[in-house]
């Protein structure tokens, strides 16, 4: 059983200080057809890297970014962490980055490296088991872990900052119910992220009384032929087509479908990764997608692109926000910047991904809204 994670109460911690924190974090952050390939390949993340020479040491664990629906580069969390560290000019930090594999021996090695480097907070890993293993290795050291997964344990110092697929899909289903959609068609590809999103959406739709079916667009021509066949028979044309893909891969499909009379005016629905995209969509018919409330992801995408000539992923945007937050907190509570009362304050934080707060269970809570592109 994990030991209880307890830190001394920060001096002068008040609601006013938290309100200032919100402004502080926000201020620091100002600044062809479908294929099975999920993301831009990018270069491989190095085994070890370090950015900055500040007194505040932030550890960061990065691995392969499987599970992305965006057009982002494969190692964008690593790149986003470096970008955030260089953005924190007013709060110099040392960001110590280590690549890890999803196994206990790898986590053990990088944990030892980060402790030796003097890390006072760790961002990552992106799997719940890895975070639990890391917390067990750090027992008694009082180094909080801001995981990019959803498994949390505040008593062990684990806070879960990852996105919730269930919450995003609930927002999508709620909007479909408002629009009285009775039938939807889900476009997916063969990669694991797309298949998982499609499966979860299909199950949630069924529970809400919405008939859902999936079309595999791993072969784009075959997928389009299937949709055209539905239109030709006059049967099975849905109220909405939902894309369990990036916007970049959806855009040419939507263009083709808008030329079909049966699909010209129905809803085309995306996912939250579409906030990062710059791909144009046809200016005909309704297009919408779930979106993180108050996000500044378009700005983040441009900032990331300017630095890397590649687009980021949603996970990398979260990593960026966490590095900014970890670097900014010591300005408000230098004696104990990562006390549970600060990390779990009710007002929360605001970054590129919008507002978020860690609840009493240590899980990041965000609000989803619907973004109508047209």
């Amino acid at each position: 059983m994990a030991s209880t994670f307890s830190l001394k109460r920060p001096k002068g911690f008040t609601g006013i200080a938290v309100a200032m924190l919100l402004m502080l974090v926000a201020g620091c952050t100002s600044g062809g057809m479908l294929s099975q390939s999920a993301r831009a390949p990018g270069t491989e993340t190095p085994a070890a890297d370090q950015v900055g020479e500040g007194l505040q040491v932030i550890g960061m664990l990065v691995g392969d970014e499987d599970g992305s629906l965006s057009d982002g580069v494969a190692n964008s969390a690593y790149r986003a962490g470096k970008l955030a560290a260089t953005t924190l000019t007013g709060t110099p930090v040392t960001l110590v980055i280590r690549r890890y594999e999803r196994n206990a021996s790898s986590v053990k090695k990088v944990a030892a490296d980060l402790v030796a480097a003097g890390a006072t907070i760790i961002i990552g890993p992106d799997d719940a088991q890895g975070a639990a293993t890391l917390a067990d290795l750090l027992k008694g050291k009082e180094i909080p872990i801001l995981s990019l997964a959803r498994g949390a344990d505040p008593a062990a110092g684990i806070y879960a900052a990852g996105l919730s697929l269930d919450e995003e899909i609930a927002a999508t289903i709620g909007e479909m119910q408002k629009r009285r959609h009775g039938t939807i068609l889900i476009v997916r590809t063969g990669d694991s992220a797309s298949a998982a999103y499609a499966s979860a959406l299909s199950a949630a739709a069924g529970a809400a009384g919405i008939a859902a079916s999936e079309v595999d667009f791993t072969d784009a021509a075959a997928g389009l032929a299937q949709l055209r066949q539905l239109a030709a028979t006059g049967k099975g044309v849905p109220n909405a087509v939902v894309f369990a893909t990036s916007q970049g891969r959806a855009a040419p499909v939507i263009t083709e479908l808008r030329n079909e009379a049966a699909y010209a005016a129905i809803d085309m629905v995306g996912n939250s990764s579409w906030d990062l995209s710059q791909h144009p969509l046809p200016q005909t018919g309704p297009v919408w997608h779930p979106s993180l409330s108050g996000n500044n992801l378009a700005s983040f995408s441009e900032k990331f692109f300017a630095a890397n000539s590649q687009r980021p992923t949603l996970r990398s945007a979260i990593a960026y926000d966490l590095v900014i937050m970890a670097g900014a907190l010591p300005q408000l509570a230098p004696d104990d910047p990562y006390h549970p009362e600060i990390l779990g304050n009710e007002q929360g934080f605001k970054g590129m991904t919008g507002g978020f707060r860690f609840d009493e269970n240590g899980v990041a809570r965000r609000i989803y809204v619907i973004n109508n592109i047209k």
Side-chain angles (χ1 to χ4, degrees):
M1 181 178 292
S3 61
T4 300
F5 187 88
S6 61
L7 302 176
K8 61 182 182 293
R9 183 181 177 84
K11 295 179 181 179
F13 175 65
T14 66
I16 294 176
V18 174
M20 290 174 62
L21 172 64
L22 287 166
M23 292 185 287
L24 176 63
V25 175
C28 285
T29 59
S30 60
M33 283 289 181
L34 293 176
S35 67
Q36 189 156 348
S37 176
R39 291 155 282 123
T43 56
E44 186 175 356
T45 304
D49 201 355
Q50 181 172 315
V51 184
E53 297 179 350
L55 296 178
Q56 190 71 30
V57 181
I58 302 170
M60 185 174 179
L61 300 186
V62 293
D64 292 326
E65 285 195 69
D66 54 350
S68 172
L69 293 179
S70 75
D71 299 303
V73 65
N75 62 350
S76 63
Y78 159 72
R79 297 185 184 205
K82 295 184 66 173
L83 181 61
T86 58
T87 298
L88 282 164
T89 54
T91 311
V93 299
T94 298
L95 181 66
V96 179
I97 307 173
R98 293 292 183 270
R99 179 179 173 83
Y100 82 104
E101 306 296 335
R102 292 191 176 187
N103 59 68
S105 61
S106 178
V107 175
K108 183 176 181 179
K109 181 181 183 304
V110 295
D113 285 351
L114 295 181
V115 170
T120 54
I121 190 168
I122 295 174
I123 296 168
D126 62 2
D127 65 302
Q129 181 57 55
T133 301
L134 180 60
D136 192 55
L137 292 168
L138 297 177
K139 280 182 181 178
K141 299 187 183 300
E142 298 186 340
I143 303 174
I145 299 165
L146 303 181
S147 167
L148 295 176
R150 291 295 287 177
D153 184 358
I158 305 173
Y159 294 83
L163 295 174
S164 168
L165 177 59
D166 290 342
E167 290 175 4
E168 175 174 337
I169 287 178
T172 298
I173 295 297
E175 183 67 14
M176 288 177 176
Q177 290 175 316
K178 289 180 183 178
R179 297 177 183 232
R180 298 185 178 181
H181 290 342
T183 306
I184 64 171
L185 189 149
I186 304 170
V187 170
R188 65 170 177 81
T189 63
D191 73 55
S192 60
S194 181
Y197 194 97
S199 177
L201 179 60
S202 182
I210 300 172
S213 56
E214 300 178 20
V215 175
D216 188 345
F217 263 69
T218 301
D219 182 328
L224 278 170
Q226 186 174 343
L227 295 188
R228 286 172 176 146
Q229 180 63 27
L230 290 174
T233 61
K235 300 178 181 179
V237 176
N239 300 122
V241 176
V242 188
F243 291 86
T245 71
S246 69
Q247 184 176 315
R249 287 178 290 170
V253 177
I254 294 175
T255 298
E256 291 286 340
L257 291 180
R258 288 304 192 206
N259 292 324
E260 303 286 336
Y263 298 100
I266 69 172
D267 288 12
M268 299 289 168
V269 183
N271 54 74
S272 60
S273 74
W274 284 23
D275 279 316
L276 293 163
S277 182
Q278 303 297 314
H279 294 276
L281 293 169
Q283 296 298 304
T284 56
V287 181
W288 57 271
H289 63 88
S291 179
L292 292 168
S293 178
N295 78 73
N296 201 16
L297 289 169
S299 175
F300 170 69
S301 184
E302 288 303 313
K303 183 181 182 77
F304 186 97
F305 187 84
N308 298 283
S309 299
Q310 298 276 9
R311 293 294 170 187
T313 62
L314 268 177
R315 186 177 298 161
S316 72
I318 296 172
Y320 181 94
D321 280 350
L322 295 178
V323 171
I324 294 289
M325 185 186 79
L329 281 171
Q331 296 184 58
L332 282 177
D335 291 336
D336 194 0
Y338 309 127
H339 189 281
E341 287 189 39
I342 291 182
L343 292 176
N345 79 83
E346 292 186 356
Q347 290 175 283
F349 310 93
K350 182 172 174 57
M352 291 296 191
T353 56
F356 63 96
R357 62 173 292 269
F358 294 104
D359 66 14
E360 64 276 7
N361 296 315
V363 178
R365 296 300 177 189
R366 298 175 172 88
I367 298 173
Y368 282 89
V369 295
I370 300 302
N371 180 14
N372 289 286
I373 297 179
K374 179 176 176 62

